[in-house]
Amino acid sequence: MEFAQDWAASRARYEAWWRNDVLDRPVVVMESRREKLRWPLKPGVEAVAPERFYFDAQARVDDMENVLAATDYLGDAAPLARRGINTGYLGLFAGAAPLFAGGKKRTVWVEPFVQDWDALPRPRFDTEAPAFKAILEVSDALVERGRGRYLVAIPDHLDAVTTMSQMRGVEAMMLDIMDNPGPVCRFRDELTAVWTQSRAFWFERDQRQGLDGSSTYPFTWSSRCGGVTQCDFSSMISPAMFDLVTRPELEAEASRLDCAMYHLDGPGELAHVDALCRIPGITAIQWVPGAGRPRAFAWRDLLTTLQDRGKPIQVYFAPQDLDDLFAFLRPQGLMLYCLVRCDAA
Protein backbone atom coordinates (compact mmCIF):
# COMPACT_ATOMS: atom_id res chain seq x y z
CA MET A 1 0.00 0.00 0.00
CA GLU A 2 1.66 3.21 -1.21
CA PHE A 3 2.16 5.90 1.48
CA ALA A 4 1.38 3.49 4.37
CA GLN A 5 4.34 2.58 6.58
CA ASP A 6 3.86 -1.22 6.71
CA TRP A 7 0.39 -2.17 5.57
CA ALA A 8 0.93 -5.93 5.95
CA ALA A 9 1.77 -5.50 9.65
CA SER A 10 -1.05 -3.02 10.12
CA ARG A 11 -3.62 -5.40 8.65
CA ALA A 12 -2.61 -8.01 11.24
CA ARG A 13 -2.97 -5.44 14.04
CA TYR A 14 -6.48 -4.48 12.88
CA GLU A 15 -7.55 -8.10 12.80
CA ALA A 16 -6.20 -8.61 16.33
CA TRP A 17 -8.04 -5.47 17.46
CA TRP A 18 -11.38 -6.82 16.26
CA ARG A 19 -10.66 -9.97 18.33
CA ASN A 20 -10.06 -7.76 21.40
CA ASP A 21 -6.43 -8.83 21.25
CA VAL A 22 -3.06 -7.18 20.62
CA LEU A 23 0.03 -8.21 18.70
CA ASP A 24 3.16 -6.15 19.25
CA ARG A 25 1.31 -2.93 20.18
CA PRO A 26 -2.14 -1.29 19.98
CA VAL A 27 -3.40 -0.01 16.65
CA VAL A 28 -2.25 3.59 16.25
CA VAL A 29 -3.67 5.71 13.42
CA MET A 30 -2.09 9.11 12.87
CA GLU A 31 -2.27 11.56 10.00
CA SER A 32 -0.43 14.86 9.77
CA ARG A 33 0.08 17.55 7.19
CA ARG A 34 3.36 17.29 5.30
CA GLU A 35 5.85 20.13 5.48
CA LYS A 36 6.45 19.72 1.75
CA LEU A 37 3.79 18.62 -0.74
CA ARG A 38 4.44 15.39 -2.62
CA TRP A 39 3.28 17.09 -5.82
CA PRO A 40 1.51 20.34 -6.74
CA LEU A 41 -2.13 20.53 -5.72
CA LYS A 42 -4.78 20.31 -8.39
CA PRO A 43 -6.39 23.75 -8.61
CA GLY A 44 -10.05 24.55 -8.18
CA VAL A 45 -11.07 21.65 -5.95
CA GLU A 46 -12.16 23.90 -3.07
CA ALA A 47 -14.29 25.94 -5.46
CA VAL A 48 -16.30 22.95 -6.71
CA ALA A 49 -19.99 23.32 -5.96
CA PRO A 50 -20.90 21.18 -2.94
CA GLU A 51 -23.34 18.91 -4.78
CA ARG A 52 -20.85 18.37 -7.60
CA PHE A 53 -18.18 17.49 -5.04
CA TYR A 54 -20.21 14.44 -3.98
CA PHE A 55 -21.53 13.42 -7.38
CA ASP A 56 -18.73 14.27 -9.85
CA ALA A 57 -16.10 11.56 -10.27
CA GLN A 58 -13.29 13.86 -11.40
CA ALA A 59 -13.86 16.26 -8.52
CA ARG A 60 -13.57 13.44 -5.99
CA VAL A 61 -10.48 11.95 -7.63
CA ASP A 62 -8.82 15.38 -7.71
CA ASP A 63 -9.69 15.99 -4.07
CA MET A 64 -8.16 12.66 -3.06
CA GLU A 65 -4.99 13.42 -5.01
CA ASN A 66 -4.69 16.70 -3.11
CA VAL A 67 -5.13 14.90 0.20
CA LEU A 68 -2.40 12.42 -0.75
CA ALA A 69 -0.09 15.24 -1.75
CA ALA A 70 -0.48 16.98 1.60
CA THR A 71 -0.69 14.13 4.13
CA ASP A 72 1.72 11.84 5.96
CA TYR A 73 0.30 8.51 7.16
CA LEU A 74 1.89 7.29 10.37
CA GLY A 75 1.60 4.16 12.45
CA ASP A 76 -1.21 2.01 11.08
CA ALA A 77 -2.82 4.75 9.00
CA ALA A 78 -3.32 4.32 5.28
CA PRO A 79 -4.87 6.71 2.75
CA LEU A 80 -8.65 6.36 2.73
CA ALA A 81 -11.04 7.80 0.13
CA ARG A 82 -14.63 8.31 1.18
CA ARG A 83 -17.73 7.67 -0.92
CA GLY A 84 -21.40 8.51 -0.62
CA ILE A 85 -23.01 11.66 0.78
CA ASN A 86 -22.52 11.17 4.51
CA THR A 87 -25.66 11.81 6.58
CA GLY A 88 -27.92 12.21 3.56
CA TYR A 89 -27.26 8.79 2.05
CA LEU A 90 -30.01 6.61 3.51
CA GLY A 91 -32.61 9.32 3.02
CA LEU A 92 -32.13 9.02 -0.75
CA PHE A 93 -34.18 5.82 -0.59
CA ALA A 94 -36.93 7.33 1.57
CA GLY A 95 -37.99 10.38 -0.42
CA ALA A 96 -35.58 12.87 1.16
CA ALA A 97 -33.88 15.53 -0.94
CA PRO A 98 -30.40 16.12 0.50
CA LEU A 99 -29.16 19.68 0.83
CA PHE A 100 -25.49 20.53 0.41
CA ALA A 101 -23.33 23.22 1.97
CA GLY A 102 -19.87 24.16 0.70
CA GLY A 103 -16.75 25.61 2.23
CA LYS A 104 -13.83 23.71 3.66
CA LYS A 105 -16.14 21.65 5.86
CA ARG A 106 -18.72 20.36 3.43
CA THR A 107 -21.94 19.14 4.99
CA VAL A 108 -25.09 17.34 3.87
CA TRP A 109 -28.43 17.50 5.67
CA VAL A 110 -32.14 16.92 5.16
CA GLU A 111 -34.89 19.45 5.82
CA PRO A 112 -37.95 18.00 7.61
CA PHE A 113 -40.80 17.14 5.25
CA VAL A 114 -42.70 14.20 6.77
CA GLN A 115 -46.21 14.76 8.16
CA ASP A 116 -47.53 11.19 8.37
CA TRP A 117 -45.33 8.07 8.35
CA ASP A 118 -48.08 5.84 7.01
CA ALA A 119 -48.80 8.23 4.11
CA LEU A 120 -45.23 8.14 2.80
CA PRO A 121 -44.13 6.01 -0.15
CA ARG A 122 -42.38 3.00 1.30
CA PRO A 123 -38.55 3.17 1.28
CA ARG A 124 -36.84 1.05 -1.35
CA PHE A 125 -33.21 0.35 -2.20
CA ASP A 126 -33.17 1.64 -5.77
CA THR A 127 -29.94 1.15 -7.69
CA GLU A 128 -31.42 3.05 -10.66
CA ALA A 129 -31.96 6.29 -8.74
CA PRO A 130 -29.98 9.08 -10.47
CA ALA A 131 -28.16 10.14 -7.30
CA PHE A 132 -27.19 6.55 -6.53
CA LYS A 133 -25.90 6.01 -10.06
CA ALA A 134 -23.77 9.13 -9.68
CA ILE A 135 -22.33 7.72 -6.44
CA LEU A 136 -21.50 4.52 -8.30
CA GLU A 137 -19.62 6.49 -10.96
CA VAL A 138 -17.62 8.27 -8.26
CA SER A 139 -16.94 4.94 -6.59
CA ASP A 140 -15.69 3.31 -9.80
CA ALA A 141 -13.32 6.23 -10.43
CA LEU A 142 -11.91 6.11 -6.90
CA VAL A 143 -11.50 2.33 -6.97
CA GLU A 144 -9.69 2.41 -10.31
CA ARG A 145 -7.43 5.32 -9.37
CA GLY A 146 -6.78 3.98 -5.88
CA ARG A 147 -5.52 0.48 -6.70
CA GLY A 148 -2.36 -0.06 -4.66
CA ARG A 149 -2.43 3.57 -3.53
CA TYR A 150 -5.35 4.01 -1.13
CA LEU A 151 -8.31 2.25 0.45
CA VAL A 152 -11.89 3.17 -0.41
CA ALA A 153 -14.43 3.39 2.41
CA ILE A 154 -17.92 1.95 2.38
CA PRO A 155 -20.35 4.90 2.07
CA ASP A 156 -21.42 6.23 5.45
CA HIS A 157 -24.73 4.51 6.26
CA LEU A 158 -26.43 6.76 8.80
CA ASP A 159 -28.95 4.76 10.81
CA ALA A 160 -32.64 4.66 9.98
CA VAL A 161 -33.85 6.26 13.22
CA THR A 162 -31.57 9.30 12.96
CA THR A 163 -32.40 9.63 9.26
CA MET A 164 -36.09 9.60 10.18
CA SER A 165 -35.51 12.31 12.80
CA GLN A 166 -34.06 14.47 10.03
CA MET A 167 -37.03 13.75 7.77
CA ARG A 168 -39.60 14.51 10.47
CA GLY A 169 -37.77 16.96 12.73
CA VAL A 170 -36.36 15.94 16.10
CA GLU A 171 -39.16 17.28 18.32
CA ALA A 172 -41.92 15.89 16.11
CA MET A 173 -40.14 12.53 15.96
CA MET A 174 -39.98 12.35 19.76
CA LEU A 175 -43.67 13.17 20.04
CA ASP A 176 -44.47 10.48 17.45
CA ILE A 177 -42.61 7.89 19.52
CA MET A 178 -44.53 8.86 22.67
CA ASP A 179 -47.97 9.30 21.10
CA ASN A 180 -48.11 6.76 18.28
CA PRO A 181 -44.97 4.60 17.95
CA GLY A 182 -46.49 2.00 15.63
CA PRO A 183 -46.02 3.91 12.33
CA VAL A 184 -42.55 5.01 13.43
CA CYS A 185 -41.46 1.44 14.11
CA ARG A 186 -42.95 0.14 10.87
CA PHE A 187 -41.14 2.73 8.78
CA ARG A 188 -37.96 2.14 10.78
CA ASP A 189 -38.08 -1.59 9.98
CA GLU A 190 -38.53 -0.89 6.27
CA LEU A 191 -35.70 1.66 6.21
CA THR A 192 -33.48 -0.69 8.21
CA ALA A 193 -34.06 -3.31 5.51
CA VAL A 194 -32.83 -0.74 2.96
CA TRP A 195 -29.75 -0.17 5.17
CA THR A 196 -28.89 -3.86 5.21
CA GLN A 197 -29.55 -4.28 1.47
CA SER A 198 -27.35 -1.31 0.66
CA ARG A 199 -24.57 -2.47 2.96
CA ALA A 200 -24.56 -5.93 1.39
CA PHE A 201 -24.58 -4.39 -2.09
CA TRP A 202 -21.45 -2.34 -1.42
CA PHE A 203 -19.50 -5.16 0.19
CA GLU A 204 -20.31 -7.56 -2.63
CA ARG A 205 -19.50 -4.95 -5.29
CA ASP A 206 -16.21 -4.08 -3.60
CA GLN A 207 -15.24 -7.74 -3.44
CA ARG A 208 -15.95 -8.16 -7.15
CA GLN A 209 -13.80 -5.12 -7.88
CA GLY A 210 -10.92 -6.53 -5.88
CA LEU A 211 -10.88 -4.17 -2.89
CA ASP A 212 -8.91 -5.25 0.16
CA GLY A 213 -11.52 -6.19 2.76
CA SER A 214 -13.81 -3.42 4.00
CA SER A 215 -12.93 0.05 5.25
CA THR A 216 -15.12 2.63 6.99
CA TYR A 217 -14.98 6.39 7.45
CA PRO A 218 -13.48 6.21 11.00
CA PHE A 219 -10.88 3.77 9.65
CA THR A 220 -11.90 0.39 10.99
CA TRP A 221 -10.39 -1.89 8.36
CA SER A 222 -11.31 -5.59 8.31
CA SER A 223 -10.67 -8.45 5.92
CA ARG A 224 -14.34 -9.37 6.45
CA CYS A 225 -17.60 -7.46 6.10
CA GLY A 226 -17.05 -4.84 8.79
CA GLY A 227 -18.97 -1.66 9.38
CA VAL A 228 -20.19 1.12 11.65
CA THR A 229 -23.52 1.27 13.44
CA GLN A 230 -24.79 4.38 15.17
CA CYS A 231 -27.80 6.35 16.38
CA ASP A 232 -27.09 9.99 17.10
CA PHE A 233 -30.79 10.47 17.83
CA SER A 234 -30.42 8.24 20.90
CA SER A 235 -28.69 11.09 22.75
CA MET A 236 -32.13 12.65 23.21
CA ILE A 237 -34.16 9.64 24.36
CA SER A 238 -34.52 7.54 27.49
CA PRO A 239 -33.34 3.93 27.86
CA ALA A 240 -36.97 2.81 27.48
CA MET A 241 -37.30 4.69 24.19
CA PHE A 242 -33.92 3.30 23.12
CA ASP A 243 -35.20 -0.24 23.67
CA LEU A 244 -38.34 0.55 21.69
CA VAL A 245 -36.98 2.35 18.63
CA THR A 246 -33.19 2.01 18.48
CA ARG A 247 -32.19 -1.40 19.77
CA PRO A 248 -34.19 -3.39 17.15
CA GLU A 249 -32.46 -1.53 14.33
CA LEU A 250 -28.98 -1.95 15.79
CA GLU A 251 -29.56 -5.65 16.38
CA ALA A 252 -30.72 -6.13 12.79
CA GLU A 253 -27.81 -4.20 11.28
CA ALA A 254 -25.08 -5.66 13.47
CA SER A 255 -26.34 -9.18 12.80
CA ARG A 256 -25.68 -8.65 9.07
CA LEU A 257 -22.06 -7.59 9.62
CA ASP A 258 -19.15 -9.85 10.44
CA CYS A 259 -17.82 -7.19 12.80
CA ALA A 260 -19.42 -3.89 13.79
CA MET A 261 -18.19 -0.81 15.66
CA TYR A 262 -20.74 1.44 17.36
CA HIS A 263 -20.16 5.20 17.02
CA LEU A 264 -20.79 6.44 20.58
CA ASP A 265 -21.18 10.15 19.98
CA GLY A 266 -21.07 12.33 23.06
CA PRO A 267 -22.24 12.23 26.68
CA GLY A 268 -25.91 12.19 25.69
CA GLU A 269 -25.55 8.56 24.63
CA LEU A 270 -23.89 7.32 27.82
CA ALA A 271 -27.22 6.22 29.29
CA HIS A 272 -27.29 3.47 26.64
CA VAL A 273 -23.80 2.00 27.13
CA ASP A 274 -25.05 -1.02 29.07
CA ALA A 275 -27.68 -1.77 26.42
CA LEU A 276 -25.11 -1.40 23.63
CA CYS A 277 -22.72 -3.81 25.33
CA ARG A 278 -25.50 -6.42 25.46
CA ILE A 279 -26.09 -6.39 21.68
CA PRO A 280 -24.10 -9.43 20.53
CA GLY A 281 -23.30 -8.15 17.03
CA ILE A 282 -21.70 -4.91 18.24
CA THR A 283 -18.08 -5.95 18.40
CA ALA A 284 -16.38 -2.66 19.28
CA ILE A 285 -17.14 0.86 20.51
CA GLN A 286 -15.78 4.16 19.23
CA TRP A 287 -15.91 6.97 21.81
CA VAL A 288 -16.22 10.53 20.50
CA PRO A 289 -16.56 13.06 23.37
CA GLY A 290 -17.71 15.85 21.05
CA ALA A 291 -16.52 19.38 20.42
CA GLY A 292 -15.70 21.36 23.55
CA ARG A 293 -15.67 18.25 25.77
CA PRO A 294 -12.71 17.05 27.86
CA ARG A 295 -10.19 14.93 25.96
CA ALA A 296 -10.09 11.14 26.05
CA PHE A 297 -8.13 10.67 29.28
CA ALA A 298 -10.93 12.44 31.21
CA TRP A 299 -13.31 9.56 30.43
CA ARG A 300 -11.42 6.91 32.37
CA ASP A 301 -14.49 5.27 33.93
CA LEU A 302 -16.24 4.88 30.56
CA LEU A 303 -13.21 3.52 28.72
CA THR A 304 -12.24 1.06 31.43
CA THR A 305 -15.87 -0.10 31.67
CA LEU A 306 -15.93 -0.82 27.95
CA GLN A 307 -12.66 -2.74 28.18
CA ASP A 308 -13.95 -4.66 31.19
CA ARG A 309 -17.04 -5.60 29.15
CA GLY A 310 -14.75 -7.14 26.53
CA LYS A 311 -15.22 -4.47 23.86
CA PRO A 312 -12.40 -3.29 21.61
CA ILE A 313 -12.36 0.51 21.73
CA GLN A 314 -11.32 3.27 19.37
CA VAL A 315 -10.23 6.43 21.18
CA TYR A 316 -9.38 9.82 19.71
CA PHE A 317 -6.35 11.34 21.39
CA ALA A 318 -3.93 14.24 21.37
CA PRO A 319 -0.23 13.29 21.38
CA GLN A 320 0.27 14.85 24.82
CA ASP A 321 -2.43 12.53 26.24
CA LEU A 322 -0.63 9.24 25.61
CA ASP A 323 1.03 8.86 29.01
CA ASP A 324 -2.28 9.49 30.76
CA LEU A 325 -4.13 7.00 28.55
CA PHE A 326 -1.52 4.27 28.91
CA ALA A 327 -1.72 4.63 32.68
CA PHE A 328 -5.18 3.02 32.76
CA LEU A 329 -5.96 1.48 29.35
CA ARG A 330 -5.01 -2.07 28.44
CA PRO A 331 -3.29 -2.60 25.07
CA GLN A 332 -5.64 -5.47 24.17
CA GLY A 333 -8.38 -4.26 21.85
CA LEU A 334 -7.12 -0.68 21.86
CA MET A 335 -7.06 1.59 18.82
CA LEU A 336 -5.71 5.13 19.21
CA TYR A 337 -6.67 7.66 16.55
CA CYS A 338 -5.02 11.06 16.10
CA LEU A 339 -5.74 13.41 13.20
CA VAL A 340 -3.52 16.45 13.03
CA ARG A 341 -3.84 16.84 9.27
CA CYS A 342 -5.01 20.15 7.82
CA ASP A 343 -7.06 20.35 4.66
CA ALA A 344 -4.99 20.03 1.51
CA ALA A 345 -5.79 23.46 0.08
Side-chain angles (χ1 to χ4, degrees):
M1 175 72 63
E2 193 176 0
F3 312 117
Q5 292 190 332
D6 185 348
W7 182 236
S10 294
R11 291 169 91 259
R13 292 189 190 103
Y14 282 105
E15 297 287 59
W17 177 79
W18 281 114
R19 299 192 303 269
N20 199 30
D21 200 354
V22 64
L23 297 181
D24 52 337
R25 60 167 173 76
V27 178
V28 179
V29 178
M30 295 187 69
E31 296 181 8
S32 66
R33 181 164 182 124
R34 290 176 58 85
E35 292 184 3
K36 182 179 180 181
L37 295 174
R38 287 191 172 94
W39 51 74
L41 298 179
K42 294 182 178 295
V45 174
E46 285 296 322
V48 169
E51 184 169 355
R52 181 176 166 232
F53 175 79
Y54 289 99
F55 293 139
D56 182 88
Q58 190 60 54
R60 293 307 297 274
V61 167
D62 287 349
D63 178 72
M64 189 61 196
E65 291 300 312
N66 285 355
V67 171
L68 290 173
T71 308
D72 273 328
Y73 299 91
L74 309 172
D76 299 301
L80 180 68
R82 289 165 172 80
R83 296 175 286 188
I85 55 172
N86 303 332
T87 59
Y89 175 77
L90 195 62
L92 290 176
F93 308 105
L99 302 175
F100 302 86
K104 284 198 170 184
K105 191 172 182 179
R106 298 177 176 91
T107 57
V108 184
W109 75 98
V110 172
E111 289 285 358
F113 67 95
V114 173
Q115 299 298 320
D116 180 347
W117 293 110
D118 283 337
L120 284 179
R122 309 327 288 175
R124 181 173 67 90
F125 181 54
D126 181 10
T127 58
E128 295 301 314
F132 186 76
K133 294 177 78 170
I135 292 172
L136 286 181
E137 291 178 5
V138 170
S139 173
D140 289 344
L142 288 171
V143 169
E144 184 59 33
R145 180 63 175 160
R147 293 189 188 280
R149 305 177 69 236
Y150 52 81
L151 302 172
V152 184
I154 292 286
D156 181 7
H157 283 54
L158 186 67
D159 61 287
V161 170
T162 303
T163 298
M164 291 169 64
S165 74
Q166 295 177 334
M167 295 166 57
R168 179 75 166 114
V170 171
E171 291 183 4
M173 176 79 163
M174 295 177 72
L175 290 172
D176 288 348
I177 295 169
M178 291 187 289
D179 296 338
N180 189 17
V184 174
C185 292
R186 285 193 293 274
F187 199 89
R188 173 208 61 201
D189 290 345
E190 293 172 352
L191 195 53
T192 298
V194 172
W195 192 103
T196 59
Q197 292 165 13
S198 173
R199 189 60 184 77
F201 171 91
W202 283 105
F203 182 71
E204 293 164 4
R205 182 183 177 88
D206 288 351
Q207 294 302 290
R208 290 196 305 270
Q209 292 186 319
L211 266 66
D212 182 17
S214 55
S215 303
T216 62
Y217 71 90
F219 211 95
T220 55
W221 179 88
S222 174
S223 62
R224 301 174 293 160
C225 182
V228 175
T229 58
Q230 62 194 88
C231 183
D232 292 354
F233 178 76
S234 69
S235 66
M236 291 169 283
I237 60 177
S238 67
M241 278 191 179
F242 181 91
D243 285 341
L244 175 65
V245 300
T246 301
R247 181 200 286 268
E249 175 184 1
L250 295 178
E251 289 176 341
E253 292 168 358
S255 71
R256 301 294 293 271
L257 299 170
D258 295 322
C259 46
M261 183 178 77
Y262 184 83
H263 169 69
L264 187 63
D265 191 0
E269 294 192 39
L270 294 183
H272 312 306
V273 166
D274 187 62
L276 291 167
C277 287
R278 294 199 306 269
I279 297 176
I282 293 181
T283 316
I285 306 284
Q286 175 202 47
W287 169 236
V288 181
R293 303 286 182 180
R295 299 200 301 271
F297 65 84
W299 304 92
R300 175 174 182 155
D301 290 347
L302 169 65
L303 298 176
T304 54
T305 295
L306 293 173
Q307 287 201 318
D308 289 345
R309 296 292 295 268
K311 296 297 182 184
I313 56 175
Q314 185 191 73
V315 181
Y316 284 76
F317 75 98
Q320 63 268 30
D321 298 342
L322 284 179
D323 287 343
D324 292 317
L325 290 171
F326 287 147
F328 66 87
L329 290 177
R330 296 191 294 272
Q332 290 81 8
L334 177 61
M335 182 189 301
L336 297 168
Y337 201 130
C338 180
L339 299 181
V340 291
R341 172 179 58 81
C342 302
D343 292 335

